[in-house]
Amino acid sequence: MIRKLMLVCAVFFLVTPFSFTYTTESTHVGSEFSTEFENYIALFYDKLQGDEGRPAFNVFKKAITGFFHLKTTNAISNNLLTVIDFSLSSNDERLWIIDVDKMKVVHQSLVSHGQNSGELFATKFSNTPSSYQSSLGFYVTGNIYYGRHGMSLYLDGMEEGINDKARQRTIVMHSADYVSYDFIQRHGRLGRSHGCPAIPQVDHERIIRQLAGGSCLYIYHPENQYHQKTKLQVREKAIQGLSAFFTETPSFLASNPELKAVLSLHVQL
């Protein structure tokens, strides 16, 4: 009886076709493709170019996964990815702007956190109005407006219960004189905002114009509560967004054949 059962199992595995070909309707991704997706992210990270530095790999991995996840919702129309790492000191240049189309870091700078999030380091986060704390997670940029900080950029929080009150709280990107090395020299740390990711005044108008109109911003911190709650790290969704990205930018794969080799067996190109 046992021999018969083993024979049936052997025949089943020999004749059953196993495939991990990706389609937009799929709800499950095989482990083989999961490995290939990880390889793609690693290759992308290795190829990041530019005169600026780059975020840590684990931060980039979460940021680019969420970026591709959001591509499935059509929320992103500007393929720039801004990454902020609030695990770093406010005295560090902890903001990077990545041009995903060109696989290039195009800008790096200082960025503030909220005054009630911490002093030198950000340690507390909130979605509550008047908390004066930063909110973690993924945002999509809106329109430019002019307020008390001059040219500013609306941010829409994409994560319910985490940062979705950004508009209500007037959490925006703006410049400030307290985001500078001069301020750090005088006070020992960067200045703090009411929760906004404030950037240096130098060249801020060009940066805000560049990011406006549907680019992605990700604020990272290794806080367990956020990472347990976020719904924008679903790999299956990210793979769908990756496929959409390839469709809209065919020249990307043409200029990066090694990435195409990694994914061509699994993604319909």
Side-chain angles (χ1 to χ4, degrees):
M1 182 67 184
I2 295 176
R3 289 182 178 178
K4 287 183 178 180
L5 180 61
M6 292 176 65
L7 178 61
V8 169
C9 290
V11 171
F12 173 80
F13 283 109
L14 285 171
V15 302
T16 301
F18 289 92
S19 173
F20 296 97
T21 301
Y22 172 75
T23 64
T24 56
E25 291 80 17
S26 69
T27 57
H28 173 72
V29 177
S31 59
E32 182 181 343
F33 186 77
S34 296
T35 300
E36 300 297 355
F37 184 68
E38 298 286 334
N39 290 344
Y40 168 77
I41 293 175
L43 279 170
F44 193 129
Y45 186 76
D46 287 342
K47 286 176 67 67
L48 278 180
Q49 301 173 354
D51 297 330
E52 314 292 346
R54 58 183 180 175
F57 176 71
N58 68 305
V59 179
F60 171 79
K61 178 180 175 180
K62 292 180 183 297
I64 199 69
T65 300
F67 171 88
F68 286 130
H69 188 145
L70 283 171
K71 291 290 283 185
T72 67
T73 69
N74 297 317
I76 297 175
S77 55
N78 177 350
N79 287 338
L80 292 176
L81 170 61
T82 302
V83 181
I84 296 174
D85 184 355
F86 274 162
S87 72
L88 300 177
S89 162
S90 63
N91 292 352
D92 294 330
E93 292 190 344
R94 53 186 179 170
L95 177 151
W96 299 264
I97 299 174
I98 299 170
D99 185 328
V100 179
D101 291 341
K102 297 179 180 178
M103 299 181 73
K104 183 176 182 179
V105 177
V106 295
H107 181 73
Q108 182 179 3
S109 77
L110 299 167
V111 62
S112 73
H113 56 253
Q115 68 183 53
N116 288 338
S117 283
E119 294 194 7
L120 183 61
F121 286 88
T123 58
K124 293 181 289 186
F125 308 95
S126 175
N127 193 35
T128 304
S130 302
S131 66
Y132 293 171
Q133 293 183 14
S134 298
S135 297
L136 301 176
F138 288 91
Y139 299 77
V140 172
T141 62
N143 297 327
I144 294 170
Y145 76 99
Y146 290 84
R148 66 191 186 95
H149 294 287
M151 181 184 283
S152 304
L153 182 61
Y154 284 118
L155 300 175
D156 290 305
M158 295 288 105
E159 305 204 59
E160 184 178 356
I162 297 173
N163 59 21
D164 59 339
K165 294 183 180 177
R167 287 267 186 165
Q168 181 182 344
R169 298 178 59 203
T170 321
I171 300 301
V172 301
M173 179 176 282
H174 62 78
S175 69
D177 58 3
Y178 55 76
V179 186
S180 67
Y181 285 107
D182 287 342
F183 191 97
I184 291 172
Q185 289 178 352
R186 293 197 306 271
H187 300 279
R189 60 164 173 77
L190 203 66
R192 297 165 298 167
S193 67
H194 286 175
C196 298
I199 60 176
Q201 291 181 321
V202 177
D203 211 18
H204 74 278
E205 292 191 353
R206 179 187 65 81
I207 293 164
I208 286 174
R209 287 193 185 96
Q210 186 178 33
L211 296 178
S215 71
C216 180
L217 183 150
Y218 174 59
I219 300 178
Y220 167 84
H221 189 274
E223 180 196 65
N224 286 333
Q225 184 176 355
Y226 167 75
H227 294 288
Q228 291 171 357
K229 194 172 183 179
T230 182
K231 297 179 180 178
L232 291 179
Q233 292 292 305
V234 178
R235 187 174 296 159
E236 288 85 350
K237 287 289 186 180
I239 292 167
Q240 291 180 31
L242 180 61
S243 180
F245 171 71
F246 288 156
T247 299
E248 35 176 84
T249 55
S251 60
F252 178 89
L253 283 178
S255 58
N256 294 282
E258 67 275 36
L259 296 181
K260 183 174 182 178
V262 168
L263 291 168
S264 61
L265 294 178
H266 306 287
V267 178
Q268 293 180 354
L269 301 176

